[in-house]
Amino acid sequence: MHHPEKGKAEVWVQQGEKLTIRLKMSTSQKHRDFVAEPMGDKPVTALSGIGEVLGRNLEDQGFDKAYVVLGQFLILRKDVELFKEWLKDASGANEKQAELCAICLQEWCAAFL
């Protein structure tokens, strides 16, 4: 299994039998903290890219915990693009915020699932 350098996140997109790198970017401390341990009962605002306003928008729709948002990511079969579109529609996130959250969940899944 490939592990990104510390402080870097990589988005992998499965295409048939091969994986390709889509994006490589520096990650925030919030991101590193989130993917470093099981998510337990963390609030939705613990996710990278989700601040107070987006968190409140998600909470209003029943997505109050990080694991509930993870559930949506898994329902969408870990498809980063579909998840980003869902998050933008559900919370009003912009492209960058949606990307940060998707990368955070993808990296968490790679470490813990």
Side-chain angles (χ1 to χ4, degrees):
M1 172 180 261
H2 173 79
H3 296 285
E5 300 169 40
K6 184 173 180 139
K8 298 283 185 187
E10 295 180 9
V11 176
W12 296 88
V13 179
Q14 189 162 359
Q15 297 175 338
E17 289 300 312
K18 70 178 191 173
L19 293 174
T20 57
I21 296 174
R22 282 213 47 208
L23 170 71
K24 191 169 184 176
M25 61 189 288
S26 293
T27 57
S28 67
Q29 186 64 49
K30 183 177 182 180
H31 172 95
R32 292 189 298 276
D33 289 346
F34 188 85
V35 301
E37 62 188 17
M39 73 178 68
D41 218 26
K42 291 180 183 178
V44 69
T45 53
L47 289 162
S48 187
I50 307 297
E52 286 185 37
V53 173
L54 297 183
R56 201 168 23 254
N57 293 346
L58 287 166
E59 288 169 4
D60 288 346
Q61 296 185 52
F63 295 89
D64 59 332
K65 300 290 183 182
Y67 69 82
V68 181
V69 177
L70 170 66
Q72 183 66 29
F73 183 68
L74 296 175
I75 286 169
L76 296 172
R77 304 177 72 77
K78 299 189 274 185
D79 184 310
V80 169
E81 293 304 317
L82 282 177
F83 177 79
K84 285 171 27 181
E85 290 307 311
W86 170 82
L87 187 60
K88 289 190 279 187
D89 290 342
S91 70
N94 64 32
E95 180 68 22
K96 182 178 180 182
Q97 293 163 324
E99 185 85 19
L100 289 171
C101 187
I103 291 168
C104 184
L105 289 172
Q106 187 175 53
E107 191 172 322
W108 188 92
C109 286
F112 293 100
L113 294 183

